[in-house]
Amino acid sequence: MDISQLVTLVHVAELGSISKAADRLNTVQPALSRQIRLLEQELGVLLFERHGRGMTITETGQDVLDHAVRVLAELDAMRRSVEEGRTSFRGMVRIGTTPTVAEIVTVPLMQRIRQAHPNLNIRFSSAFSGYLLDWLKRGELDIVVTYDPPPAKSLRVTPVMMEQLYLVSSRPGLSPDRPVQFAKLADEQLVLPSPRHGLREIFDECARRAGIVYTHVVEADSFAAMTDLTCAGFGATMLPLASIHRMIREGRLFAAPLTDPTPERKLVVCYSADRPVSPAARYVGNTFIEIATALVNAGIWGGQMLAANKKV
């Protein structure tokens, strides 16, 4: 009996299918079938009932599964205790964020990490949420910071905050103290991402709820292009306050909250549920939450922290 057999047992039992477990573990089906067969031979029991729809764990198999889960948890705890005893983290943590989050936290996060753990290397990736979650699933990322992903057993999700989105324009007159009704955007020139972008989905839903149809739109799928076009006067856009805080301070952009309805989205930190979370990755995720909390408390990042954002 070895660890890989226990890992296979857990995933096949959860998914009810050798093929699905092979996809999740990025391996071939015959290898997993052989591991289950060898485990059954060693224990002298049938762990699964095979049928046309997949595999169902037997009563005896459930007892073995309970032990396997405890063994894997103890091994993970042992690794963590050793790594957490080090004075400084080493190695690499790969973090993926959406473009607006990258604009907000990349520098302060790197400053905090470098000060506390100078030997810890960080790899930043920025992309749409769908790409980030796929990379996390494939083991190409350790942490993803994104917005309210669909429920999935393969994800460990820590809610961080409800982020408020603001109307942003190069025209003076917008102020955080003077909310703008969403319906007033019907005749505005707008700069928005394409419909495949989550920000556009939120804008379109708010427009529907406000009972308006907008027609004057320039589409741009990069944060830099959106802010450049807005600064150049091609239209107003909708963004989180923190992402354009520096431009507001410089007088290049102005922002006001939107009401009736108020656009907002849930920011979360995601880890893979299929692999242990390393202490270094947990440290990076928790440090991100601390930075987000400080920015919200300072009024730089508009939104409300969620009580569920416990450290992982």
Side-chain angles (χ1 to χ4, degrees):
M1 185 183 305
D2 59 36
I3 300 303
S4 63
Q5 291 173 342
L6 300 184
V7 171
T8 298
L9 171 66
V10 170
H11 288 284
V12 173
E14 178 184 340
L15 297 173
S17 165
I18 287 283
S19 61
K20 291 180 180 178
D23 287 342
R24 176 182 284 184
L25 296 171
N26 195 27
T27 188
V28 294
Q29 296 182 38
L32 298 191
S33 297
R34 183 173 183 275
Q35 288 179 346
I36 293 296
R37 187 169 63 253
L38 289 174
L39 188 58
E40 288 180 325
Q41 290 174 357
E42 181 171 349
L43 295 174
V45 295
L46 191 66
L47 299 175
F48 291 94
E49 294 178 357
R50 281 79 166 171
H51 49 75
R53 297 183 304 278
M55 300 172 66
T56 303
I57 196 161
T58 63
E59 184 175 347
T60 303
Q62 183 62 53
D63 291 337
V64 175
L65 175 65
D66 292 341
H67 286 290
V69 170
R70 286 196 293 271
V71 168
L72 293 175
E74 285 297 322
L75 288 172
D76 186 30
M78 181 176 64
R79 293 190 191 98
R80 291 181 183 180
S81 65
V82 171
E83 292 184 14
E84 287 174 342
R86 297 172 180 165
T87 57
S88 179
F89 292 128
R90 298 175 181 272
M92 171 79 73
V93 173
R94 303 158 300 172
I95 179 170
T97 68
T98 59
T100 51
V101 172
E103 188 70 20
I104 297 166
V105 302
T106 300
V107 172
L109 183 59
M110 196 64 240
Q111 289 172 334
R112 290 276 297 273
I113 293 169
R114 185 62 74 230
Q115 182 178 15
H117 298 281
N119 296 315
L120 180 62
N121 295 317
I122 305 297
R123 179 183 298 159
F124 290 98
S125 299
S126 178
F128 291 155
S129 294
Y131 292 117
L132 295 175
L133 294 173
D134 185 52
W135 296 341
L136 181 67
K137 178 181 178 181
R138 296 193 333 230
E140 297 174 15
L141 292 175
D142 303 303
I143 312 170
V144 163
V145 181
T146 186
Y147 293 99
D148 207 11
K153 291 182 178 179
S154 60
L155 291 179
R156 300 179 188 177
V157 178
T158 301
V160 178
M161 66 181 289
M162 290 302 298
E163 177 189 70
Q164 186 175 350
L165 298 167
Y166 284 66
L167 177 65
V168 178
S169 173
S170 62
R171 298 197 309 266
L174 295 182
S175 168
D177 301 325
R178 293 196 296 273
V180 175
Q181 287 189 320
F182 206 97
K184 292 186 178 180
L185 303 185
D187 299 320
E188 280 276 354
Q189 297 282 342
L190 298 169
V191 176
L192 297 173
S194 65
R196 63 179 179 172
H197 197 290
L199 197 66
R200 179 67 172 270
E201 292 179 2
I202 295 172
F203 191 95
D204 287 348
E205 174 61 18
C206 288
R208 185 193 65 78
R209 290 169 58 190
I212 65 171
V213 177
Y214 60 91
T215 56
H216 310 295
V217 183
V218 177
E219 293 186 352
D221 274 340
S222 78
F223 173 81
M226 286 178 62
T227 53
D228 286 347
L229 289 166
T230 303
C231 286
F234 285 96
T237 190
M238 186 179 76
L239 288 168
L241 192 61
S243 65
I244 41 94
H245 179 74
R246 176 173 50 83
M247 296 180 222
I248 291 176
R249 192 175 63 243
E250 294 169 352
R252 298 166 58 200
L253 290 176
F254 303 86
L258 287 160
T259 60
D260 303 321
T262 296
E264 59 182 8
R265 53 188 179 175
K266 183 190 293 184
L267 183 68
V268 302
V269 172
C270 298
Y271 304 90
S272 172
D274 300 331
R275 300 181 300 278
V277 181
S278 72
R282 289 205 319 275
Y283 162 76
V284 172
N286 291 335
T287 300
F288 166 78
I289 294 174
E290 293 171 2
I291 291 171
T293 302
L295 292 174
V296 169
N297 291 340
I300 295 173
W301 200 340
Q304 182 178 0
M305 300 303 296
L306 296 173
N309 60 359
K310 299 176 290 185
K311 292 186 176 182
V312 178

